Amino acid sequence: MQKLMHLSTTKKYLTWFKNDWQLIKDFLEKHQLDGVELGLTLDYPLQNINPDLITGIHLNFYPMWLEFWKENKLLVEKYIGDDNDVINYYGGLNKNIIVEKYQLQYERAKTLQAEYMVFHISHIRPEDSFTWKFDYSDEEVVDATIELINLAFPHNENGPLLLFENLWWPGLTYLNKSICEKILSGVKYKNIGFVIDISHLTLTNPQIDNEKKCFDYISKVVNNLGEIKPYIYGVHLNKTLPKHYMKQNHLYKLEKYQSTTDKKLKHKILMEHVNKLDPHQPFDHPIAKEIVEVINPQFCVFETNPQTIYELNYFMKIQNKALGIIY
């Protein structure tokens, strides 16, 4: 199993490492990590990157995209805004812009000789993240995703593994084995599989309030996947214990979100809510080792959300410790 660190070519991470990939290499060696799963922005120069450090590429994710993909202009305007807002969110006014962006990311992943790519299968409208009431199903999201994937990725190339990641919103959650089977049979790209984000799976059970319950639940879900399990190549290791926050009434936050007209403030309210659900804290309990062993992945990614380079160091160290790795 390869142990990897999540890193992004955004200003936050690049500033921490002074945009110096030798410093990133030194950091990986310090924490006994084998490489990076890279959130690669489209404008970052590939020549800056040491490809020897890159194992995976985390592809872009549009949380809300079904209305745009189905060309429902009324709903796009309702949820996204005018043409300028649509261009800012998707990059263009035609749905093919999404296909083109994934095609570009695929070529960049090949250039870096990545072993795998990560693709979220999900859709969520902002208000629905507060209410948990959806008028779109897992099947609807997955069917549209299969259509998108088959347009964006070639059918006859042995490119990097394309691994589909779960969220707790409609799409891929791992709670329905037939959804996984639909993905495996419908996607035409040759090399495909799955990656389990531990926090995202945990969030499908609002009763989890300790690590033991987390282990028991994840073990049950994974074992219920049966013959799908060998297709799980990756794990995003992180932790959330959602019971305390999820049992709260979030309607006052929804009302605040809906009544706010300032777009930046609306986004802030939404992200504060999402980050309370999914803080991507490090899994600091030794049962993390048992969770990883149950899944038995090829890639274990330390995907956390540090706010400083000091936190990043600390998060890597305590997740290593939870897996039984001592410095």
Side-chain angles (χ1 to χ4, degrees), residues 120-142:
H120 280 291
I121 298 186
S122 187
H123 172 75
I124 183 69
R125 296 171 186 161
E127 288 89 346
D128 300 349
S129 71
F130 296 97
T131 65
W132 294 74
K133 296 178 181 177
F134 316 107
D135 61 7
Y136 38 94
S137 65
D138 291 342
E139 288 79 6
E140 185 178 1
V141 176
V142 167

Side-chain angles (χ1 to χ4, degrees), residues 166-197:
N166 59 308
L167 278 147
W168 62 98
W169 297 314
L172 175 63
T173 63
Y174 294 120
L175 302 188
N176 187 339
K177 181 181 174 183
S178 66
I179 288 291
C180 299
E181 294 169 340
K182 178 188 279 277
I183 293 166
L184 291 176
S185 63
V187 171
K188 295 179 181 179
Y189 184 74
K190 287 184 177 181
N191 300 323
I192 59 175
F194 300 102
V195 57
I196 292 181
D197 185 292

